[in-house]
C-alpha cells in the first residue's frame, strides 16, 4: 500500500531538507500525525513563524527577525561598532555562530550557502558568490570600502576549491583587497562549526 497523497506530498517537500531522505521523511510524517492536536497546532504555528517572521539579510544573507518590513540588514550588518571593511566568508550560519562565540571577530560576514564540488557548482538552496562580488563592488564605491576578505571555509577539498574560485573572482576586481584564509589549526577535513573557541581564535589571529 502506498502512503496517502498528503503524506506523499509531505515526504516530497521534507526530503529536500539537508540530511533527510525519503525514508526518514516518511517516519517524520507518521510521527507528526501521532502528536496531540495541541502539539500539531504548535508545530504549524512555529513553522509558519519561521517563514513569516524571518528574512535574509540583503548584505550577508544571515536570517534575522526584522523590526519593521523596511529593515533589510541583520543585527551584525547594521551594528556601527563592527568593522565593515572586513568580510568573513563562511559556508553556513552555524559556522558564523561558532565564530561569533569566540567574541574575537569584529568584522562582518557573508553566508555563501554552498560550495563548489569538482567542476560543477553544488546545488545549494542559494549560492551567493555572485552577491558577494556585487557587495564588494558596491562598497568599493562607497565611503567604507572592503579592505580584507577572510575565507573561513572548511579545509575540505570542496572548501579549498571554493576558496580558490572566490580568491580568483575577487582578484579579478582589481580593488586591492587583502584575501586571507584561516591559519592551520582547524584539522584538515575538519569543520569550523565544531571547532573549539581557542582553536578558532588562533586560526583567526594567525590568518594569512
Ligand atoms: Zn547581515
Amino acid at each position: 500500500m502506498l502512503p496517502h497523497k498528503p503524506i506523499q506530498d509531505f515526504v516530497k517537500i521534507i526530503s529536500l531538507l539537508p540530511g533527510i531522505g525519503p525514508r526518514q521523511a516518511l517516519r517524520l510524517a507518521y510521527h507528526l500525525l501521532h502528536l496531540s492536536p495541541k502539539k500539531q497546532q504548535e508545530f504549524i504555528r512555529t513553522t509558519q513563524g519561521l517563514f513569516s517572521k524571518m528574512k535574509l539579510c540583503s548584505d550577508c544573507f544571515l536570517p534575522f527577525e526584522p523590526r519593521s518590513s523596511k529593515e533589510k540588514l541583520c543585527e551584525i550588518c547594521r551594528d556601527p561598532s563592527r568593522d565593515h571593511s572586513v568580510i568573513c566568508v563562511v559556508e553556513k550560519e552555524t559556522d558564523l555562530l561558532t565564530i561569533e562565540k569566540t567574541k574575537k571577530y569584529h568584522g562582518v560576514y557573508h553566508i555563501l550557502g554552498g560550495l563548489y564540488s569538482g567542476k560543477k557548482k553544488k546545488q545549494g538552496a542559494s549560492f551567493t558568490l555572485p552577491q558577494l562580488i556585487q557587495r564588494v563592488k558596491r562598497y568599493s564605491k562607497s565611503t567604507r570600502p572592503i579592505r580584507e576578505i577572510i575565507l573561513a571555509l572548511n579545509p575540505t577539498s570542496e572548501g579549498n576549491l571554493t576558496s580558490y574560485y572566490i580568491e580568483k573572482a575577487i582578484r579579478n576586481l582589481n580593488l586591492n583587497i587583502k584575501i586571507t584564509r584561516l591559519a592551520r589549526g582547524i584539522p584538515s577535513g575538519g569543520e569550523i562549526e565544531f571547532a573549539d573557541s581557542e582553536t578558532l581564535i588562533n586560526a583567526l589571529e594567525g590568518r594569512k
Side-chain angles (χ1 to χ4, degrees):
M1 176 190 137
L2 275 173
H4 296 81
K5 177 83 167 53
I7 295 182
Q8 287 180 30
D9 292 345
F10 179 86
V11 167
K12 212 162 134 190
I13 190 104
I14 297 296
S15 311
L16 297 175
L17 300 176
I20 297 190
R23 210 182 158 74
Q24 248 172 323
L26 188 61
R27 247 183 261 151
L28 278 175
Y30 288 127
H31 178 83
L32 289 169
L33 288 171
H34 282 280
L35 292 179
S36 68
K38 201 173 152 227
K39 279 279 167 214
Q40 289 184 352
Q41 283 309 317
E42 202 180 316
F43 185 85
I44 293 169
R45 258 201 325 275
T46 322
T47 314
Q48 211 158 38
L50 183 69
F51 293 123
S52 63
K53 293 181 190 154
M54 301 295 289
K55 164 165 157 182
L56 299 184
C57 173
S58 64
D59 261 9
C60 75
F61 293 91
L62 177 69
F64 73 107
E65 191 177 1
R67 294 166 300 182
S68 77
S69 59
K70 282 192 191 121
E71 199 157 60
K72 289 198 164 70
L73 299 177
C74 72
E75 294 87 341
I76 296 176
C77 288
R78 58 172 191 259
D79 182 349
S81 73
R82 300 199 67 129
D83 184 353
H84 291 261
S85 70
V86 184
I87 299 180
C88 179
V89 180
V90 292
E91 181 194 345
K92 52 195 188 300
E93 294 84 352
T94 41
D95 297 332
L96 177 153
L97 295 178
T98 307
I99 296 176
E100 278 299 283
K101 231 166 42 192
T102 67
K103 294 192 165 65
K104 290 281 176 190
Y105 176 68
H106 307 293
V108 292
Y109 294 91
H110 191 89
I111 314 258
L112 209 51
L115 294 176
Y116 281 105
S117 62
K119 282 186 190 126
K120 227 172 108 228
K121 197 189 290 176
K122 202 180 205 181
Q123 296 299 320
S126 52
F127 187 64
T128 64
L129 178 56
Q131 288 87 339
L132 172 66
I133 304 298
Q134 286 308 320
R135 181 179 175 193
V136 171
K137 276 200 217 164
R138 196 170 66 242
Y139 278 96
S140 72
K141 291 180 197 135
S142 77
T143 47
R144 47 177 202 195
I146 312 296
R147 278 186 305 115
E148 180 181 355
I149 291 186
I150 306 171
L151 299 173
L153 302 177
N154 289 326
T156 56
S157 55
E158 292 183 346
N160 292 336
L161 185 70
T162 309
S163 289
Y164 167 79
Y165 281 126
I166 298 177
E167 184 161 356
K168 212 165 113 179
I170 301 285
R171 289 214 190 287
N172 279 341
L173 297 175
N174 273 323
L175 288 172
N176 201 18
I177 294 169
K178 191 168 148 196
I179 299 168
T180 56
R181 297 189 192 200
L182 292 188
R184 287 179 198 281
I186 310 289
S188 176
E191 297 214 27
I192 292 167
E193 181 182 352
F194 303 113
D196 63 275
S197 277
E198 202 181 329
T199 306
L200 209 46
I201 289 169
N202 288 336
L204 265 169
E205 284 174 349
R207 68 183 186 265
K208 52 191 170 194

